[in-house]
Amino acid sequence: MKKHFIILEPFQHQVSCCCPGEKHHHVIEFRQYDVWTITDDWKYVDCLGWYSLIEVNNEFQFLMHVEDIEDLYTKGIICSILDLDLRINHLRFKVNEALDAHDRELFLSFSFDLNNLQEMRSKLRYADMQVF
């Protein structure tokens, strides 16, 4: 099953290309709101471990070490689409809770965060990423 993630913070990643007779290194820059689709294609490299094929914005693909993907997720640099939707639902609840409590500061804080996440989510829909 394919899994979809969104880039929350811009970062760079170095990938190696093993061409016959020579080895190249390329740096890929990922922007905020880029969408990764982690495919079902895996590759095991002796002494290095498992790599997964990732498609970026339906434009290109590259292999990334599974532990690197897990590290990015743990650090909050990437987020699953499901996690994003859960964050939005939670913030909606917190906004309503702040309204009920007549807490202006919390309401403004949660509303700001909610608007940012909803804007991010709408950009995903607008970009016509086929992840929904």
Side-chain angles (χ1 to χ4, degrees):
M1 179 170 79
K2 294 181 180 181
K3 295 181 177 130
H4 305 286
F5 291 84
I6 183 169
I7 306 300
L8 299 177
E9 297 177 25
F11 71 98
Q12 295 179 344
H13 180 71
Q14 182 174 326
V15 295
S16 298
C17 175
C18 298
C19 303
E22 56 185 290
K23 191 173 186 176
H24 295 32
H25 296 283
H26 301 280
V27 175
I28 304 173
E29 291 191 34
F30 297 103
R31 302 172 311 252
Q32 189 176 29
Y33 308 133
D34 281 347
V35 175
W36 282 7
T37 302
I38 299 179
T39 69
D40 295 330
D41 296 327
W42 299 78
K43 180 179 182 178
Y44 183 79
V45 178
D46 287 334
C47 300
L48 296 177
W50 285 99
Y51 285 76
S52 181
L53 185 65
I54 299 174
E55 186 173 291
V56 180
N57 298 330
N58 296 325
E59 296 171 358
F60 67 93
Q61 298 177 336
F62 72 102
L63 288 169
M64 182 177 235
H65 195 263
V66 172
E67 289 179 10
D68 291 340
I69 298 169
E70 292 171 353
D71 188 46
L72 291 169
Y73 181 79
T74 301
K75 290 179 179 176
I77 295 171
I78 64 173
C79 172
S80 74
I81 303 299
L82 178 60
D83 287 340
L84 184 63
D85 287 341
L86 289 173
R87 287 182 189 182
I88 289 171
N89 285 338
H90 177 72
L91 284 172
R92 284 180 182 149
F93 170 77
K94 297 306 273 181
V95 164
N96 288 332
E97 192 176 63
L99 277 173
D100 291 343
H102 302 287
D103 189 329
R104 186 174 195 275
E105 288 181 34
L106 278 179
F107 171 77
L108 292 174
S109 174
F110 290 134
S111 295
F112 179 78
D113 293 342
L114 178 60
N115 286 336
N116 286 339
L117 288 182
Q118 287 177 326
E119 181 180 331
M120 182 185 305
R121 188 68 162 103
S122 69
K123 286 182 182 182
L124 290 174
R125 287 190 186 104
Y126 181 75
D128 197 26
M129 294 294 151
Q130 297 176 350
V131 297
F132 310 107

